[in-house]
């Protein structure tokens, strides 16, 4: 039973914790992940590219940093500057609205921009992991894209999002790797964005076959 004399202190602690979490969630963030992947499954070599998760209010978009720079320069016909940027193999984009039960996944094929809906995935075997990158971490597993995935996340950062299609765990996903070893997404930087962003969801224009 709670002592009446300690009740005001408990209320203050709860209010401070609630306020700090809401303050964190109300801000915009840019989170960079290093993606290590095999361009050809049978190959032993890996390629590394950086992808960005940009979070604004209750939405986010995940995209390739170099691809975004190239697209921006191309829209300004600055082809000289484009030549100095490494071309990217990972050209996928993932738009997430945290209030919806699906994500919108997009890409480009022969100059055709396509978008389709992907149901949010479920996780299993959630348990404590220990320390990872100085964060108190937990782990989880999921199945997606004909692969099994292992994820490490932390509720030290109360953002229920992560790289690629992954979101919905109780904290920020700091690492996601396929158990076949073909793909690894790992957090390398997180920073607060001072400017305000309005992320626009692209409409679905193709249907994914199950």
């Amino acid at each position: 039973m709670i002592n009446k004399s300690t009740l005001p202190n408990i209320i203050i602690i709860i209010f401070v914790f609630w306020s700090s979490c809401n303050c964190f969630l109300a801000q915009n963030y840019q989170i960079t992940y290093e993606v290590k992947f095999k361009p050809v499954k049978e190959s032993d070599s890996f390629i590394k590219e950086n992808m960005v998760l940009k979070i604004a209010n209750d939405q986010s978009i995940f995209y390739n940093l170099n691809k975004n720079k190239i697209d921006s320069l191309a829209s300004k016909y600055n082809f000289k500057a484009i030549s100095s940027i490494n071309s990217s193999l990972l050209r996928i984009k993932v738009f997430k609205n945290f209030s919806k039960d699906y994500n919108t996944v997009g890409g480009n094929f022969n100059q055709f921009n396509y978008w389709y809906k992907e149901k949010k995935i479920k996780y299993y075997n959630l348990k404590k992991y220990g320390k990872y990158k100085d964060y108190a971490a937990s782990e989880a597993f999921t199945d997606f894209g004909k692969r099994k995935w292992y994820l490490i996340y932390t509720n030290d950062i109360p953002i229920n999002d992560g790289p690629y299609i992954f979101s919905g765990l109780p904290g920020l996903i700091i690492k996601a790797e396929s158990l076949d070893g073909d793909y690894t997404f790992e957090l390398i930087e997180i920073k607060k964005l001072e400017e305000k962003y309005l992320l626009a969801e692209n409409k679905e224009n193709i249907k994914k076959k199950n």
Side-chain angles (χ1 to χ4, degrees):
M1 183 177 292
I2 298 174
N3 190 307
K4 289 184 179 181
S5 63
T6 63
L7 187 59
N9 292 332
I10 293 173
I11 293 173
I12 291 171
I13 291 170
I14 293 173
F15 177 76
V16 170
F17 176 77
W18 178 86
S19 298
S20 63
C21 288
N22 279 275
C23 180
F24 202 104
L25 292 170
Q27 296 171 340
N28 297 339
Y29 287 86
Q30 179 170 301
I31 303 168
T32 305
Y33 291 88
E34 180 186 79
V35 187
K36 181 182 176 182
F37 65 99
K38 288 183 180 180
V40 180
K41 187 170 180 61
E42 294 75 18
S43 173
D44 292 328
S45 62
F46 286 86
I47 290 177
K48 292 181 180 180
E49 294 186 9
N50 287 348
M51 299 193 74
V52 164
L53 177 67
K54 185 171 286 186
I55 301 170
N57 300 318
D58 61 346
Q59 299 175 323
S60 71
I61 188 165
F62 183 70
Y63 59 90
N64 189 292
L65 193 57
N66 279 1
K67 176 68 168 57
N68 193 64
K69 290 177 181 178
I70 290 171
D71 289 347
S72 177
L73 292 169
S75 68
K76 301 172 184 176
Y77 302 100
N78 191 346
F79 300 110
K80 184 177 180 180
I82 290 175
S83 63
S84 65
I85 300 175
N86 292 329
S87 180
S88 56
L89 294 178
L90 298 175
R91 301 184 178 186
I92 197 168
K93 287 185 178 181
V94 181
F95 177 89
K96 301 167 189 167
N97 185 319
F98 303 150
S99 64
K100 295 182 179 179
D101 63 353
Y102 65 86
N103 299 318
T104 308
V105 181
N108 178 277
F109 181 75
N110 286 345
Q111 297 184 341
F112 170 68
N113 294 316
Y114 61 85
W115 294 91
Y116 62 88
K117 292 180 181 179
E118 186 75 67
K119 287 185 178 180
K120 290 185 177 179
I121 54 183
K122 297 180 180 179
Y123 303 93
Y124 55 90
N125 290 353
L126 279 68
K127 60 182 180 180
K128 295 290 184 182
Y129 174 87
K131 283 285 186 179
Y132 189 84
K133 289 184 177 289
D134 295 327
Y135 296 111
S138 298
E139 61 184 14
F141 293 84
T142 192
D143 301 317
F144 177 75
K146 298 181 180 179
R147 285 185 170 93
K148 292 187 178 295
W149 295 83
Y150 171 69
L151 305 103
I152 298 176
Y153 64 96
T154 177
N155 52 24
D156 286 352
I157 305 174
I159 297 174
N160 302 344
D161 205 351
Y164 189 31
I165 202 76
F166 307 115
S167 65
L169 285 167
L172 181 68
I173 297 169
I174 50 183
K175 185 177 183 180
E177 61 180 349
S178 59
L179 294 187
D180 60 11
D182 286 354
Y183 289 89
T184 302
F185 300 80
E186 186 146 16
L187 171 72
I188 58 174
E189 182 186 52
I190 178 169
K191 64 180 181 180
K192 186 172 73 171
L193 299 175
E194 298 299 333
E195 60 268 46
K196 293 183 179 181
Y197 285 92
L198 180 63
L199 302 179
E201 180 177 0
N202 290 275
K203 292 184 178 180
E204 179 184 44
N205 58 5
I206 64 170
K207 295 286 185 181
K208 181 186 176 183
K209 290 185 178 180
N210 295 324

